[in-house]
Amino acid sequence: QAVSRLQVSSCDIESIELSLQLRSELISLNLSDNTIDSDCFSRWVSGYLWLRHLSLSGCCLKSFPDLSKLAPVLLKLDLSHNAMAEGDDLCSEAAARTFKSLTRLRDLNLSCCALEHLHGAEDPARYINEAEMAKSPLLGLAGTLEALDISHNKLDCAGHT
């Protein structure tokens, strides 16, 4: 029987090389709490044909990895506990490409990512409200997304009504 779920969390790895056969059979991959570079991840992500769940929580990512090769089937993505705002923000081109390609995504966790705003406005004092969400790349996921966690970020919620 093939391995369909692989948990390699907290193993102090920087990259992972899996056989093409294993990559093509995996449904769930947990790489949380490792030091994985976004560029490195983007290079070796191809070949995961059936991956539905991916956790990159706490992987020291500073930008959004290119997940377009996982787009057709990825349902759950956990990018929590990464300092995304240091190198990227939710409004960056990389993030927009990633979210645009994830047409089947149902569950997205972006908690504790140091995000300051949800859209491309340069004014960080903008509020989280319907107008701001309308400018967000997350809007592209509105038709499929069932769960979104943006808690514990630097978002200004003072104007939310």
Side-chain angles (χ1 to χ4, degrees):
Q1 178 149 351
V3 173
S4 63
R5 289 169 174 60
L6 180 61
Q7 178 150 332
V8 196
S9 61
S10 302
C11 289
D12 207 25
I13 60 172
E14 293 179 7
S15 68
I16 185 169
E17 296 295 329
L18 301 174
S19 73
L20 186 57
Q21 179 180 355
L22 182 57
R23 285 185 286 168
S24 67
E25 296 168 350
L26 276 181
I27 293 172
S28 179
L29 178 59
N30 183 347
L31 295 171
S32 62
D33 297 315
N34 287 294
T35 307
I36 296 176
D37 180 78
S38 296
D39 293 331
C40 177
F41 177 79
S42 296
R43 281 192 302 273
W44 58 261
V45 74
S46 64
Y48 291 88
L49 304 176
W50 304 108
L51 198 62
R52 304 275 196 287
H53 307 111
L54 175 62
S55 178
L56 296 172
S57 177
C59 285
C60 302
L61 299 173
K62 297 206 184 311
S63 62
F64 287 86
D66 180 2
L67 300 174
S68 59
K69 293 175 182 166
L70 299 177
V73 294
L74 195 63
L75 300 174
K76 183 175 182 178
L77 176 59
D78 186 352
L79 294 173
S80 64
H81 299 278
N82 286 291
M84 299 290 197
E86 290 180 13
D88 243 344
D89 208 346
L90 201 55
C91 59
S92 72
E93 286 183 36
R97 270 194 313 274
T98 293
F99 293 127
K100 185 177 181 180
S101 67
L102 297 173
T103 57
R104 295 189 60 205
L105 195 66
R106 301 285 186 263
D107 188 328
L108 176 60
N109 188 343
L110 293 171
S111 65
C112 303
C113 286
L115 297 172
E116 295 180 2
H117 47 91
L118 295 176
H119 60 80
E122 293 181 13
D123 178 8
R126 300 292 299 248
Y127 302 122
I128 300 173
N129 57 32
E130 289 178 26
E132 181 166 321
M133 283 300 290
K135 298 175 187 174
S136 174
L138 293 175
L139 187 63
L141 298 174
T144 63
L145 206 57
E146 295 170 359
L148 171 64
D149 187 347
I150 54 171
S151 63
H152 305 286
N153 281 292
K154 299 175 182 180
L155 301 168
D156 185 354
C157 298
H160 186 63
T161 56

